[in-house]
């Protein structure tokens, strides 16, 4: 296959499946208890310079608790896969302030914007600062990169992106199809050092169920060198075995399991609770003023012991009940 045009964007991760397999071989396949706290999981599995990915979609089914903890622990120089990431990217962007650099490089597809809610001023400042290296992709292109990694191949061919400015700013390459002679695009496999996925249920070993759309998380789980799962609820392995076909993420992919009720808050969790639009609006509003934003972060992130306390500050059980009613009975 002859190389044709090449995108000029930087390639932040090694797409070599053999290199990834050397890491995967060290994962324990045995069924064992992996339950721990969010604080411990972030401390153990996120290292300076790591490349991080976040599951879910937009503000839906994201591991908010882990994003908070990464910020609270002051992790540095992280890469990030911006695959349809909104509030999670917004949280991490708060680490690029006052001389701190939490994010140093980003594969960007959909970030900065919180969909119809508007743009995050802090995420925008981070991306416009010139301090973050950026490679551009589409949502599908990043999903294809995770799929390539999950399949154990160094790239996948696709037709999307051809002839666009996004291709020019990506790290993809044009190739000639050996069967048809047509021009296709090769996107490199993406193996995150550590990923965070929020699920509906998990057993202590890490066998996970997701209700609703799984987005790219089926592939992300299999592509990640280390995987931290947060779950709304822990269930027994016997319960998982009663309906094995419902397991989306198998235990052998998972390194840590954390039980975090309302763990996607203020985002949505399908069938559990609606997004807290008032609180998301507050985030966007306070980001417009540096002093107000600093006070906000101290109250909700740096000044709390953990995610449970954050939820209490945001209205606790009563607020969660109201959001659950909105999710289950939107007609009321």
């Amino acid at each position: 296959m002859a190389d044709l045009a090449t995108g000029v964007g930087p390639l932040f991760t090694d797409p070599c499946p053999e290199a990834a397999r050397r890491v995967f071989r060290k994962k324990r396949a045995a069924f064992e208890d992996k339950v721990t706290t969010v604080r411990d999981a972030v401390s153990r599995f996120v290292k300076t310079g790591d490349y991080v990915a976040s599951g879910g979609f937009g503000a839906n089914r994201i591991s908010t608790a882990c994003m908070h903890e990464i910020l609270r622990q002051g992790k540095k120089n992280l890469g990030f896969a911006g695959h349809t990431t909104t509030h999670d990217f917004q949280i991490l962007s708060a680490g690029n302030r006052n001389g701190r650099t939490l994010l140093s490089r980003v594969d960007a597809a959909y970030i900065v914007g919180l969909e119809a809610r508007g743009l995050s001023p802090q995420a925008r400042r981070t991306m416009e600062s010139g301090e973050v290296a950026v490679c551009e992709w589409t949502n599908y292109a990043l999903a294809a990169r995770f799929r390539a990694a999950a399949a154990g191949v160094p790239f996948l061919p696709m037709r999307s992106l051809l002839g666009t400015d996004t291709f020019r700013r990506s790290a993809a390459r044009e190739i000639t199809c050996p069967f048809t002679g047509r021009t296709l695009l090769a996107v490199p496999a993406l193996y995150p050092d550590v990923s965070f996925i929020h699920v509906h249920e998990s057993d202590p070993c890490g066998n996970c169920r997701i209700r609703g759309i799984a987005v790219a998380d089926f592939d992300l789980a299999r592509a990640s060198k280390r995987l931290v799962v947060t779950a709304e609820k822990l269930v027994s392995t016997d319960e998982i075995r009663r309906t094995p076909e419902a397991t989306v993420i198998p235990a052998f992919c998972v390194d840590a399991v954390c039980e975090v009720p309302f763990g996607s808050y203020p985002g949505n969790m399908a069938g559990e609770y609606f997004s807290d639009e008032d609180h998301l609006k507050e985030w966007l509003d306070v980001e417009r003023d540096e002093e107000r934003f600093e006070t906000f972060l101290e109250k909700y992130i740096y000044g709390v012991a953990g995610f449970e306390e954050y939820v209490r500050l945001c209205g606790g059980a009563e607020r969660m009940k109201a959001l659950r009613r909105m999710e289950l009975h939107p007609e009321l």
Side-chain angles (χ1 to χ4, degrees), residues 143-211:
R145 294 187 65 192
F146 292 137
R147 174 147 295 185
V153 295
F155 74 91
L156 277 182
M158 54 187 281
R159 303 178 89 165
S160 177
L161 282 186
L162 284 168
T164 67
D165 283 347
T166 303
F167 160 57
R168 187 169 58 84
R169 297 176 182 275
S170 76
R173 295 186 176 189
E174 288 185 354
I175 58 173
T176 301
C177 174
F179 301 104
T180 66
R182 293 184 177 275
T183 299
L184 297 174
L185 209 67
V187 292
L190 175 49
Y191 295 95
D193 292 310
V194 57
S195 297
F196 299 90
I197 298 177
H198 190 61
V199 303
H200 287 80
E201 295 173 334
S202 174
D203 72 359
C205 304
N207 294 296
C208 304
R209 294 169 172 169
I210 295 173
R211 296 198 296 276

Side-chain angles (χ1 to χ4, degrees), residues 13-17 20 24 51 148-150 152-154 189-193 223-225:
T13 59
D14 184 358
C16 176
F24 293 145
Y51 188 101
V153 295
L190 175 49
Y191 295 95
D193 292 310
S224 302
K225 296 174 183 175

Side-chain angles (χ1 to χ4, degrees), residues 13-305:
T13 59
D14 184 358
C16 176
E18 283 70 29
R21 284 171 184 163
R22 286 194 287 271
V23 177
F24 293 145
R25 285 192 194 104
K26 297 176 183 178
K27 283 204 173 195
R28 285 185 57 79
F31 271 26
E32 58 186 17
D33 193 320
K34 300 170 186 173
V35 176
T36 187
T37 64
V38 168
R39 179 185 297 177
D40 175 68
V42 171
S43 176
R44 279 198 292 147
F45 294 113
V46 183
K47 309 301 180 187
T48 297
D50 274 352
Y51 188 101
V52 174
S54 172
F57 185 93
N60 304 312
R61 198 175 48 73
I62 60 175
S63 187
T64 310
C66 288
M67 300 300 107
H68 281 202
E69 192 61 32
I70 290 172
L71 185 59
R72 190 160 35 242
Q73 291 189 17
K75 299 297 183 177
K76 298 178 181 178
N77 191 32
L78 301 181
F80 186 75
H83 172 259
T84 322
T85 53
T86 61
H87 186 54
D88 37 5
F89 185 77
Q90 180 184 22
I91 295 166
L92 296 183
S93 293
N96 284 53
R97 303 173 66 254
N98 302 326
R100 299 189 297 267
T101 304
L102 190 154
L103 295 172
S104 63
R105 57 209 187 278
V106 175
D107 281 305
Y110 191 89
I111 52 175
V112 180
L114 273 77
E115 291 130 344
R117 305 174 184 96
L119 303 180
S120 160
Q122 175 56 35
R124 187 168 187 169
R125 285 192 293 267
T126 297
M127 295 304 291
E128 292 179 346
S129 68
E131 299 172 355
V132 179
V134 182
C135 189
E136 295 189 17
W137 307 89
T138 61
N139 292 344
Y140 174 66
L142 275 179
R145 294 187 65 192
F146 292 137
R147 174 147 295 185
V153 295
F155 74 91
L156 277 182
M158 54 187 281
R159 303 178 89 165
S160 177
L161 282 186
L162 284 168
T164 67
D165 283 347
T166 303
F167 160 57
R168 187 169 58 84
R169 297 176 182 275
S170 76
R173 295 186 176 189
E174 288 185 354
I175 58 173
T176 301
C177 174
F179 301 104
T180 66
R182 293 184 177 275
T183 299
L184 297 174
L185 209 67
V187 292
L190 175 49
Y191 295 95
D193 292 310
V194 57
S195 297
F196 299 90
I197 298 177
H198 190 61
V199 303
H200 287 80
E201 295 173 334
S202 174
D203 72 359
C205 304
N207 294 296
C208 304
R209 294 169 172 169
I210 295 173
R211 296 198 296 276
I213 59 172
V215 199
D217 290 354
F218 180 95
D219 293 321
L220 177 61
R222 290 154 177 80
S224 302
K225 296 174 183 175
R226 302 186 295 277
L227 177 61
V228 175
V229 162
T230 54
E232 289 288 324
K233 180 183 179 183
L234 281 181
V235 298
S236 69
T237 299
D238 285 343
E239 167 64 20
I240 290 290
R241 285 172 172 162
R242 273 192 273 273
T243 54
E245 70 280 4
T247 298
V248 177
I249 300 173
F252 62 78
C253 293
V254 179
D255 295 279
V257 177
C258 312
E259 186 174 33
V260 187
F262 312 111
S264 183
Y265 177 85
N268 169 260
M269 191 67 178
E272 295 292 331
Y273 45 88
F274 196 68
S275 51
D276 190 335
E277 295 300 321
D278 291 339
H279 188 57
L280 288 169
K281 183 178 185 302
E282 184 182 7
W283 267 87
L284 290 170
D285 288 344
V286 299
E287 285 182 345
R288 302 181 193 283
D289 182 273
E290 290 276 10
E291 189 172 331
R292 288 179 63 206
F293 190 35
E294 189 66 35
T295 301
F296 178 89
L297 291 174
E298 183 59 36
K299 175 181 178 180
Y300 288 111
I301 307 292
Y302 298 120
V304 303

